[in-house]
Amino acid sequence: MHALSVVTQLFRGLARRRGVNSLNSAYVSPNDHIVIGGCGRSGTTLLRVIVDSHPRICCGPESEAFLAGAIHLTRLKDRYKLDRQVLRDAYVTSRSRAEFIDWLAEVCRAATGKPRWAEKTPRNILNLDFIFSKFPQAKFVHVLRDGRDVACSLRTHPRHRVKNGKLVPVNTWKPMKLCVQRWRDSLLCAKRRWSNPRFYTVRYEELVTDPRETVSKLMKFLEEPWNERLLAHTEAASIYRDATTFAQTPEANKPIETSSIGRWRRDMSDDDKRIFKEIAGELLIECGYAADNDW
């Protein structure tokens, strides 16, 4: 085994005994973090860069810190440009996952000079019980998109991978059934929190067709002042934006456009439509994306 892997496993073992990988602990965060999630390919990265453009909010790449399971230290170090030893020290000394997340938030706030931290990992939507119980002051932003468009996008994602610092195209083609199930499962988790005052849904279609109104409403929910920088996310400077950050979602760092709305009409076969209706047709109707299953 590689020496770095051995050391990482050692620190994971120590941290596990200290409780950093436990989601159940006495520690409760006093911080008003912003947590963003939703099914992958719903527009979470686009919303991330928009929020990060606000002068009071920093929102870096996916940390995966709110998810169940051990934290991938090397990936976290690379994505957040963290000092290896400082990260390991924090990982070992943190008494719980929530405490470690607060440490990461403080590092990001200090690095950016912004007072509030946001974190975007799509699968955050699957761990809402932990987020709402251990971060009672936090607010959750759910990004929702037409499940048919999501499934079509998931099927061919990722389109590129980073190899030796360069984008290399890949020919991804996933089964439609798995893509629909992922959208369904994410939405079922979200439904349980629809009535929670700390839970807010941003629809992708509204975000790209009327960004000013949509983001303005979001800022009111987050209790943050409006700033015109939010509509100029492609021009915003950030320590978390580099050539590899948007390797799999390059469109998120480009001007907002609406061409992906309704892509299912050209991408879905009759068999794809049948599969979607069987798995998530009723949810699509419930979300207002279809009047019935006759589409």
Side-chain angles (χ1 to χ4, degrees):
M1 184 179 291
H2 190 279
L4 179 58
S5 299
V6 173
V7 173
T8 299
Q9 291 299 325
L10 173 61
F11 272 85
R12 282 181 176 173
L14 291 171
R16 190 173 294 111
R17 288 195 291 272
R18 296 291 186 97
V20 73
N21 287 319
S22 173
L23 302 185
N24 300 311
S25 66
Y27 181 87
V28 175
S29 172
N31 294 294
D32 60 345
H33 303 319
I34 301 165
V35 187
I36 300 172
C39 185
R41 309 306 296 161
S42 292
T44 56
T45 302
L46 173 60
L47 186 64
R48 188 275 262 196
V49 296
I50 291 174
V51 169
D52 185 54
S53 302
H54 195 286
R56 283 182 40 84
I57 307 171
C58 58
C59 189
E62 297 177 16
S63 73
E64 303 177 354
F66 287 98
L67 307 183
I71 295 174
H72 195 294
L73 287 181
T74 302
R75 188 157 54 216
L76 186 62
K77 174 187 73 67
D78 292 341
R79 288 179 178 177
Y80 277 82
K81 303 177 177 65
L82 300 172
D83 179 86
R84 180 180 299 168
Q85 190 58 52
V86 172
L87 173 60
R88 286 176 179 168
D89 289 346
Y91 190 78
V92 170
T93 58
S94 294
R95 294 165 295 179
S96 70
R97 174 65 61 88
E99 186 177 59
F100 178 79
I101 289 172
D102 277 351
W103 171 85
L104 177 62
E106 181 56 34
V107 169
C108 296
R109 289 195 295 258
T112 60
K114 296 182 177 183
R116 198 169 182 189
W117 181 67
E119 198 280 341
K120 185 279 292 188
T121 299
R123 286 176 293 157
N124 286 337
I125 196 69
L126 304 178
N127 212 18
L128 292 175
D129 288 344
F130 166 69
I131 294 168
F132 277 82
S133 63
K134 297 304 177 182
F135 299 88
Q137 304 304 316
K139 292 190 174 182
F140 193 94
V141 182
H142 170 224
V143 186
L144 175 63
R145 183 183 180 190
D146 187 324
R148 296 166 294 188
D149 289 340
V150 171
C152 291
S153 185
L154 284 172
R155 179 161 56 180
T156 58
H157 183 75
R159 290 171 298 195
H160 298 84
R161 292 194 185 280
V162 178
K163 187 175 182 179
N164 298 324
K166 296 181 180 180
L167 287 180
V168 178
V170 293
N171 297 317
T172 302
W173 190 260
K174 300 171 185 173
M176 176 57 65
K177 179 179 179 180
L178 297 181
C179 298
V180 180
Q181 288 174 337
R182 182 173 172 183
W183 183 78
R184 176 202 63 191
D185 294 347
S186 295
L187 191 53
L188 289 176
C189 290
K191 277 186 61 177
R192 295 175 49 227
R193 302 287 177 171
W194 276 352
S195 62
N196 191 304
R198 293 195 289 130
F199 187 95
Y200 186 84
T201 295
V202 171
R203 289 183 182 256
Y204 170 81
E205 294 79 12
E206 294 174 353
L207 179 63
V208 298
T209 57
D210 192 356
R212 179 178 290 274
E213 179 67 13
T214 304
V215 178
S216 177
K217 290 179 179 178
L218 173 61
M219 289 302 114
K220 290 179 181 178
F221 167 72
L222 298 176
E223 300 179 277
E224 292 291 348
W226 170 259
N227 192 285
E228 288 295 322
R229 295 183 191 177
L230 291 163
L231 298 182
H233 69 278
T234 60
E235 304 169 13
S238 173
I239 64 172
Y240 298 123
R241 300 188 195 185
D242 54 36
T244 60
T245 299
F246 300 98
Q248 296 184 344
T249 317
E251 62 272 18
N253 208 31
K254 296 178 180 179
I256 293 175
E257 52 89 30
T258 61
S259 63
S260 292
I261 295 178
R263 62 173 292 179
W264 65 270
R265 298 179 186 277
R266 62 178 183 271
D267 290 351
M268 273 189 166
S269 66
D270 288 342
D271 195 47
D272 292 334
K273 294 176 184 178
R274 176 189 59 77
I275 291 171
F276 191 100
K277 292 173 185 179
E278 289 176 356
I279 297 173
E282 294 305 312
L283 275 176
L284 193 74
I285 296 170
E286 187 175 357
C287 289
Y289 285 111
D292 50 41
N293 270 324
D294 187 22
W295 47 269

